[in-house]
Amino acid sequence: PYANPALAEAKEELDKGDSGAALALIDQFLGQNPRSAEALDLKRSALLQHGKALLQQNKLDDSLTTLNQLAKLSPKDTSVSTLVGNVRGRLIQQHYNQGIRLYREEKLTEAIAEWRTVLQYDPKHEGAKKNIETAERLLKSLKQRQEKQGR
């Protein structure tokens, strides 16, 4: 049990599964008590629960944002860094696959945008780099062909 009523209320929300409401209450409390170890521990729990809930809803961007906040609060927790890595990996794969789908649909600009998103998460991703080069070459040749036809 938490001595402070605000933290007790946040814990109740967390127990009910409403990690968003719990985080709002915890952040409000931390605004007035930034060094409260009790509140920071509760925030870690709430962030973990919220990040996992977003992951289950396949809201990968939001989940990664939440889990990155948790990683900042718990930099030495290897389970958190592993979870962050897993979500980042799923995001990379999702954007990469979306780029391939768009490329097949001949939506080259949109495909390039997806692969550039992949590179934001993983700047060394060779597949995305190669696909961007290929799509940009194709766009350039299409543009040149259109210019020749326009003359």
Side-chain angles (χ1 to χ4, degrees):
Y2 290 93
N4 187 291
L7 292 181
E9 184 180 353
K11 177 68 171 132
E12 285 177 29
E13 292 297 331
L14 194 57
D15 289 345
K16 288 191 293 188
D18 192 348
S19 52
L23 282 167
L25 290 167
I26 296 164
D27 285 340
Q28 184 178 10
F29 180 83
L30 282 169
Q32 299 168 354
N33 308 284
R35 298 190 191 274
S36 169
E38 191 176 39
L40 288 171
D41 284 343
L42 187 57
K43 183 168 184 167
R44 284 183 191 93
S45 297
L47 285 169
L48 181 60
Q49 183 175 322
H50 194 60
K52 285 181 174 180
L54 290 166
L55 182 58
Q56 286 179 334
Q57 297 167 23
N58 206 34
K59 295 180 178 178
L60 299 178
D61 288 313
D62 295 335
S63 177
L64 184 60
T65 299
T66 300
L67 293 171
N68 276 331
Q69 289 176 26
L70 176 58
K72 287 178 185 174
L73 288 177
S74 304
K76 295 179 182 176
D77 189 335
T78 57
S79 65
V80 172
S81 58
T82 299
L83 187 55
V84 167
N86 290 341
V87 174
R88 182 179 288 114
R90 284 181 58 182
L91 263 170
I92 289 168
Q93 196 60 50
Q94 182 182 61
H95 286 286
Y96 185 78
N97 292 344
Q98 178 71 356
I100 290 172
R101 187 183 65 72
L102 290 165
Y103 183 85
R104 288 181 181 151
E105 294 173 2
E106 299 179 5
K107 297 178 181 175
L108 301 178
T109 305
E110 293 92 336
I112 291 168
E114 289 294 327
W115 292 322
R116 287 208 169 120
T117 300
V118 168
L119 293 177
Q120 289 175 354
Y121 291 112
D122 179 6
K124 296 179 182 179
H125 195 284
E126 290 302 319
K129 288 179 184 179
K130 185 181 121 202
N131 290 347
I132 289 169
E133 289 174 13
T134 302
E136 285 177 339
R137 271 196 312 271
L138 187 55
L139 273 175
K140 185 178 178 182
S141 71
L142 287 171
K143 185 178 178 184
Q144 287 172 347
R145 191 177 306 160
Q146 288 172 347
E147 287 173 357
K148 286 181 182 177
Q149 289 175 350
R151 292 181 188 167

